[in-house]
Amino acid sequence: MLALYGHPFSSYTWKAQIALLGSGLEHELRIVDGDHPDHGKIVAMAGPQGKFPVLQDGGNLIFEATSIIEYLQLHHVEPDVLLPSDADAAIGVRMLDRVFDNYVMSNMQDVVNEYIRDAQNPDMGRISEARERLERSYAWLEGWLQYYPSQGQVTLIECAAAPSLFYADWVHPIAETFPRLRDWRAHLLALPPVSACIEAARPYRAFFPLGAPDRD
């Protein structure tokens, strides 16, 4: 059986698990925390920084969520599900994956990191800059979405978009001036693989450094 090492509240664990759930792949989520030191040892040996998620498939250990999804497409999923077989089309999907990781998730994390660093005295200048970058990303995505059909598919794009938009909207709510993006976020959260991750993470919301809003 495939094993995914991570944590239910981790956005990048979601990213990999959405691919597993969306593709109908049997797997076990092995939680990395203080109660499971053996799981932490596996993660620590898998990559240079000892970060999860990590996928274990027999003797193979794959780290980094995007690499895990690429591995699943190559070894466990029918063609053209998570990534298209056509090389040019695959470049477009990978490009959007980087948009969500680097321009949504990363900027969201910059805000969160300020509160982790000093919850009583976060650097509001850095937070303002990160929020401005998120706003620019939201605006770009609003334009992109007019060309992207939402038909219930779970590809690398949805795997990257769902957790990044879920948490980014907590940090910097998506304004009504971006109706396509607001609607697409709601569409993503209703997808069964994503809603499963949301429910699994719900008990951990008190740990969100900014304070989790009373909504999804």
Side-chain angles (χ1 to χ4, degrees), residues 14-36:
W14 282 29
K15 181 176 175 178
Q17 194 169 29
I18 289 166
L20 288 159
L21 293 169
S23 302
L25 294 174
E26 187 176 356
H27 68 284
E28 177 186 357
L29 177 62
R30 296 179 179 171
I31 296 178
V32 179
D33 61 12
D35 294 331
H36 302 87

Side-chain angles (χ1 to χ4, degrees), residues 93 96 143-151 153 155 157-158 184:
V93 171
L96 265 296
W144 167 74
L145 278 168
Q146 66 184 305
Y147 306 107
Y148 187 68
S150 297
Q151 299 176 339
Q153 69 271 22
T155 72
I157 291 176
E158 284 71 29
W184 193 51

Side-chain angles (χ1 to χ4, degrees), residues 59-77:
N60 294 329
L61 290 176
I62 313 298
F63 64 95
E64 290 294 332
T66 298
S67 298
I68 290 170
I69 294 169
E70 296 250 12
Y71 178 89
L72 294 174
Q73 177 61 80
L74 186 62
H75 293 284
H76 293 282
V77 180

Side-chain angles (χ1 to χ4, degrees), residues 105-117:
M105 190 93 78
S106 179
N107 290 319
M108 177 277 296
Q109 191 64 48
D110 285 345
V111 176
V112 171
N113 286 344
E114 283 302 312
Y115 284 87
I116 293 174
R117 182 186 63 81

Side-chain angles (χ1 to χ4, degrees), residues 32 37-52 54 61:
V32 179
D38 290 345
H39 297 174
K41 289 178 182 178
I42 296 292
V43 171
M45 66 179 285
Q49 298 297 320
K51 293 184 176 183
F52 50 74
V54 171
L61 290 176

